[in-house]
mmCIF file of all heavy atoms in Angstrom:
data_model
loop_
_atom_site.group_PDB
_atom_site.id
_atom_site.type_symbol
_atom_site.label_atom_id
_atom_site.label_comp_id
_atom_site.label_asym_id
_atom_site.label_seq_id
_atom_site.Cartn_x
_atom_site.Cartn_y
_atom_site.Cartn_z
ATOM 1 N N THR A 7 3.726 -69.436 58.938
ATOM 2 C CA THR A 7 3.015 -70.710 58.898
ATOM 3 C C THR A 7 2.816 -71.143 57.455
ATOM 4 O O THR A 7 2.399 -70.342 56.616
ATOM 5 C CB THR A 7 1.629 -70.588 59.568
ATOM 6 O OG1 THR A 7 1.790 -70.104 60.901
ATOM 7 C CG2 THR A 7 0.917 -71.933 59.588
ATOM 8 N N LEU A 8 3.123 -72.396 57.174
ATOM 9 C CA LEU A 8 2.871 -72.979 55.860
ATOM 10 C C LEU A 8 2.017 -74.226 56.067
ATOM 11 O O LEU A 8 2.405 -75.125 56.827
ATOM 12 C CB LEU A 8 4.170 -73.344 55.150
ATOM 13 C CG LEU A 8 5.123 -72.181 54.852
ATOM 14 C CD1 LEU A 8 6.124 -72.007 55.992
ATOM 15 C CD2 LEU A 8 5.879 -72.413 53.549
ATOM 16 N N ALA A 9 0.859 -74.279 55.415
ATOM 17 C CA ALA A 9 -0.043 -75.390 55.684
ATOM 18 C C ALA A 9 -1.033 -75.608 54.540
ATOM 19 O O ALA A 9 -1.589 -74.645 53.994
ATOM 20 C CB ALA A 9 -0.812 -75.146 56.981
ATOM 21 N N TYR A 10 -1.245 -76.858 54.199
ATOM 22 C CA TYR A 10 -2.277 -77.243 53.235
ATOM 23 C C TYR A 10 -3.643 -77.068 53.890
ATOM 24 O O TYR A 10 -3.795 -77.244 55.097
ATOM 25 C CB TYR A 10 -2.076 -78.696 52.828
ATOM 26 C CG TYR A 10 -3.134 -79.241 51.903
ATOM 27 C CD1 TYR A 10 -3.255 -78.755 50.604
ATOM 28 C CD2 TYR A 10 -4.001 -80.248 52.322
ATOM 29 C CE1 TYR A 10 -4.224 -79.273 49.738
ATOM 30 C CE2 TYR A 10 -4.968 -80.772 51.467
ATOM 31 C CZ TYR A 10 -5.071 -80.273 50.183
ATOM 32 O OH TYR A 10 -6.037 -80.773 49.332
ATOM 33 N N ASN A 11 -4.633 -76.700 53.076
ATOM 34 C CA ASN A 11 -5.992 -76.545 53.588
ATOM 35 C C ASN A 11 -6.898 -77.544 52.872
ATOM 36 O O ASN A 11 -7.088 -77.455 51.654
ATOM 37 C CB ASN A 11 -6.474 -75.110 53.371
ATOM 38 C CG ASN A 11 -7.788 -74.824 54.063
ATOM 39 O OD1 ASN A 11 -8.817 -75.354 53.691
ATOM 40 N ND2 ASN A 11 -7.758 -73.960 55.073
ATOM 41 N N GLU A 12 -7.442 -78.482 53.620
ATOM 42 C CA GLU A 12 -8.250 -79.566 53.053
ATOM 43 C C GLU A 12 -9.468 -79.062 52.284
ATOM 44 O O GLU A 12 -9.863 -79.645 51.272
ATOM 45 C CB GLU A 12 -8.712 -80.517 54.165
ATOM 46 C CG GLU A 12 -7.606 -81.312 54.817
ATOM 47 C CD GLU A 12 -7.189 -82.522 53.983
ATOM 48 O OE1 GLU A 12 -7.800 -82.749 52.925
ATOM 49 O OE2 GLU A 12 -6.249 -83.222 54.404
ATOM 50 N N ALA A 13 -10.061 -77.974 52.769
ATOM 51 C CA ALA A 13 -11.266 -77.453 52.121
ATOM 52 C C ALA A 13 -10.946 -76.511 50.970
ATOM 53 O O ALA A 13 -11.523 -76.601 49.882
ATOM 54 C CB ALA A 13 -12.143 -76.737 53.160
ATOM 55 N N GLU A 14 -9.997 -75.603 51.208
ATOM 56 C CA GLU A 14 -9.737 -74.551 50.224
ATOM 57 C C GLU A 14 -8.706 -74.927 49.161
ATOM 58 O O GLU A 14 -8.737 -74.396 48.050
ATOM 59 C CB GLU A 14 -9.276 -73.277 50.944
ATOM 60 C CG GLU A 14 -10.292 -72.721 51.940
ATOM 61 C CD GLU A 14 -11.593 -72.318 51.261
ATOM 62 O OE1 GLU A 14 -11.640 -71.221 50.689
ATOM 63 O OE2 GLU A 14 -12.548 -73.132 51.291
ATOM 64 N N GLY A 15 -7.787 -75.848 49.499
ATOM 65 C CA GLY A 15 -6.772 -76.252 48.536
ATOM 66 C C GLY A 15 -7.353 -76.786 47.240
ATOM 67 O O GLY A 15 -6.996 -76.323 46.145
ATOM 68 N N PRO A 16 -8.265 -77.761 47.297
ATOM 69 C CA PRO A 16 -8.861 -78.282 46.066
ATOM 70 C C PRO A 16 -9.648 -77.219 45.296
ATOM 71 O O PRO A 16 -9.649 -77.219 44.062
ATOM 72 C CB PRO A 16 -9.789 -79.392 46.574
ATOM 73 C CG PRO A 16 -9.178 -79.829 47.872
ATOM 74 C CD PRO A 16 -8.643 -78.565 48.481
ATOM 75 N N LYS A 17 -10.292 -76.309 46.012
ATOM 76 C CA LYS A 17 -11.027 -75.229 45.336
ATOM 77 C C LYS A 17 -10.067 -74.349 44.547
ATOM 78 O O LYS A 17 -10.351 -73.973 43.405
ATOM 79 C CB LYS A 17 -11.773 -74.363 46.368
ATOM 80 C CG LYS A 17 -12.929 -75.038 47.075
ATOM 81 C CD LYS A 17 -13.563 -74.063 48.053
ATOM 82 C CE LYS A 17 -14.646 -74.715 48.877
ATOM 83 N NZ LYS A 17 -15.216 -73.755 49.875
ATOM 84 N N ALA A 18 -8.958 -74.017 45.170
ATOM 85 C CA ALA A 18 -7.977 -73.153 44.517
ATOM 86 C C ALA A 18 -7.401 -73.823 43.273
ATOM 87 O O ALA A 18 -7.246 -73.189 42.221
ATOM 88 C CB ALA A 18 -6.864 -72.786 45.491
ATOM 89 N N ARG A 19 -7.068 -75.097 43.384
ATOM 90 C CA ARG A 19 -6.529 -75.810 42.230
ATOM 91 C C ARG A 19 -7.545 -75.849 41.094
ATOM 92 O O ARG A 19 -7.201 -75.650 39.928
ATOM 93 C CB ARG A 19 -6.106 -77.218 42.629
ATOM 94 C CG ARG A 19 -4.878 -77.245 43.542
ATOM 95 C CD ARG A 19 -4.248 -78.620 43.565
ATOM 96 N NE ARG A 19 -5.178 -79.628 44.088
ATOM 97 C CZ ARG A 19 -5.250 -79.983 45.360
ATOM 98 N NH1 ARG A 19 -4.451 -79.397 46.257
ATOM 99 N NH2 ARG A 19 -6.090 -80.903 45.753
ATOM 100 N N ALA A 20 -8.805 -76.095 41.448
ATOM 101 C CA ALA A 20 -9.862 -76.126 40.425
ATOM 102 C C ALA A 20 -10.023 -74.755 39.778
ATOM 103 O O ALA A 20 -10.183 -74.649 38.550
ATOM 104 C CB ALA A 20 -11.180 -76.581 41.047
ATOM 105 N N ASP A 21 -9.983 -73.697 40.580
ATOM 106 C CA ASP A 21 -10.107 -72.340 40.048
ATOM 107 C C ASP A 21 -8.949 -72.013 39.109
ATOM 108 O O ASP A 21 -9.137 -71.408 38.053
ATOM 109 C CB ASP A 21 -10.136 -71.325 41.199
ATOM 110 C CG ASP A 21 -11.434 -71.360 41.989
ATOM 111 O OD1 ASP A 21 -12.443 -71.860 41.469
ATOM 112 O OD2 ASP A 21 -11.424 -70.887 43.146
ATOM 113 N N ALA A 22 -7.745 -72.420 39.507
ATOM 114 C CA ALA A 22 -6.567 -72.136 38.683
ATOM 115 C C ALA A 22 -6.646 -72.870 37.351
ATOM 116 O O ALA A 22 -6.393 -72.287 36.285
ATOM 117 C CB ALA A 22 -5.299 -72.538 39.433
ATOM 118 N N LEU A 23 -6.995 -74.143 37.399
ATOM 119 C CA LEU A 23 -7.061 -74.930 36.168
ATOM 120 C C LEU A 23 -8.174 -74.439 35.247
ATOM 121 O O LEU A 23 -8.024 -74.433 34.021
ATOM 122 C CB LEU A 23 -7.244 -76.409 36.505
ATOM 123 C CG LEU A 23 -6.082 -77.048 37.282
ATOM 124 C CD1 LEU A 23 -6.391 -78.495 37.607
ATOM 125 C CD2 LEU A 23 -4.776 -76.950 36.501
ATOM 126 N N GLU A 24 -9.277 -74.010 35.823
ATOM 127 C CA GLU A 24 -10.367 -73.469 35.010
ATOM 128 C C GLU A 24 -9.939 -72.184 34.315
ATOM 129 O O GLU A 24 -10.311 -71.929 33.167
ATOM 130 C CB GLU A 24 -11.594 -73.206 35.892
ATOM 131 C CG GLU A 24 -12.846 -72.829 35.121
ATOM 132 C CD GLU A 24 -13.262 -73.887 34.096
ATOM 133 O OE1 GLU A 24 -13.160 -75.084 34.417
ATOM 134 O OE2 GLU A 24 -13.678 -73.487 32.975
ATOM 135 N N PHE A 25 -9.138 -71.375 35.010
ATOM 136 C CA PHE A 25 -8.619 -70.147 34.396
ATOM 137 C C PHE A 25 -7.771 -70.471 33.170
ATOM 138 O O PHE A 25 -7.935 -69.869 32.107
ATOM 139 C CB PHE A 25 -7.778 -69.371 35.416
ATOM 140 C CG PHE A 25 -6.989 -68.240 34.821
ATOM 141 C CD1 PHE A 25 -7.608 -67.068 34.407
ATOM 142 C CD2 PHE A 25 -5.604 -68.350 34.668
ATOM 143 C CE1 PHE A 25 -6.882 -66.018 33.856
ATOM 144 C CE2 PHE A 25 -4.868 -67.303 34.118
ATOM 145 C CZ PHE A 25 -5.511 -66.143 33.705
ATOM 146 N N PHE A 26 -6.879 -71.439 33.303
ATOM 147 C CA PHE A 26 -6.010 -71.777 32.176
ATOM 148 C C PHE A 26 -6.789 -72.429 31.039
ATOM 149 O O PHE A 26 -6.494 -72.179 29.858
ATOM 150 C CB PHE A 26 -4.865 -72.673 32.645
ATOM 151 C CG PHE A 26 -3.836 -71.944 33.466
ATOM 152 C CD1 PHE A 26 -3.611 -72.283 34.791
ATOM 153 C CD2 PHE A 26 -3.105 -70.905 32.921
ATOM 154 C CE1 PHE A 26 -2.667 -71.613 35.551
ATOM 155 C CE2 PHE A 26 -2.162 -70.210 33.674
ATOM 156 C CZ PHE A 26 -1.943 -70.568 34.990
ATOM 157 N N LYS A 27 -7.774 -73.245 31.372
ATOM 158 C CA LYS A 27 -8.609 -73.847 30.330
ATOM 159 C C LYS A 27 -9.335 -72.767 29.540
ATOM 160 O O LYS A 27 -9.390 -72.804 28.304
ATOM 161 C CB LYS A 27 -9.610 -74.819 30.958
ATOM 162 C CG LYS A 27 -8.995 -76.119 31.436
ATOM 163 C CD LYS A 27 -9.990 -76.935 32.262
ATOM 164 C CE LYS A 27 -11.185 -77.371 31.457
ATOM 165 N NZ LYS A 27 -12.098 -78.223 32.266
ATOM 166 N N SER A 28 -9.889 -71.800 30.244
ATOM 167 C CA SER A 28 -10.596 -70.695 29.586
ATOM 168 C C SER A 28 -9.634 -69.827 28.779
ATOM 169 O O SER A 28 -9.936 -69.434 27.642
ATOM 170 C CB SER A 28 -11.323 -69.847 30.630
ATOM 171 O OG SER A 28 -11.934 -68.721 30.030
ATOM 172 N N LEU A 29 -8.470 -69.545 29.357
ATOM 173 C CA LEU A 29 -7.474 -68.711 28.700
ATOM 174 C C LEU A 29 -7.031 -69.310 27.374
ATOM 175 O O LEU A 29 -6.854 -68.589 26.388
ATOM 176 C CB LEU A 29 -6.275 -68.530 29.628
ATOM 177 C CG LEU A 29 -5.158 -67.589 29.172
ATOM 178 C CD1 LEU A 29 -5.634 -66.132 29.180
ATOM 179 C CD2 LEU A 29 -3.931 -67.741 30.080
ATOM 180 N N PHE A 30 -6.872 -70.636 27.364
ATOM 181 C CA PHE A 30 -6.341 -71.306 26.172
ATOM 182 C C PHE A 30 -7.443 -71.912 25.284
ATOM 183 O O PHE A 30 -7.140 -72.549 24.266
ATOM 184 C CB PHE A 30 -5.377 -72.415 26.585
ATOM 185 C CG PHE A 30 -4.140 -71.913 27.292
ATOM 186 C CD1 PHE A 30 -3.614 -72.606 28.377
ATOM 187 C CD2 PHE A 30 -3.500 -70.757 26.877
ATOM 188 C CE1 PHE A 30 -2.471 -72.154 29.029
ATOM 189 C CE2 PHE A 30 -2.347 -70.304 27.526
ATOM 190 C CZ PHE A 30 -1.836 -71.008 28.600
ATOM 191 N N GLY A 31 -8.688 -71.726 25.692
ATOM 192 C CA GLY A 31 -9.795 -72.246 24.884
ATOM 193 C C GLY A 31 -9.880 -73.761 24.888
ATOM 194 O O GLY A 31 -10.238 -74.382 23.877
#
C-alpha cells in the first residue's frame, strides 16, 4: 500500500525540514 496521510504527512515534512535547518545552522 502506498498512500499520503493528511495528518502525518505535514508533520513528517516539518520534522525533516527542521532537522536540516538545525543541521546546517
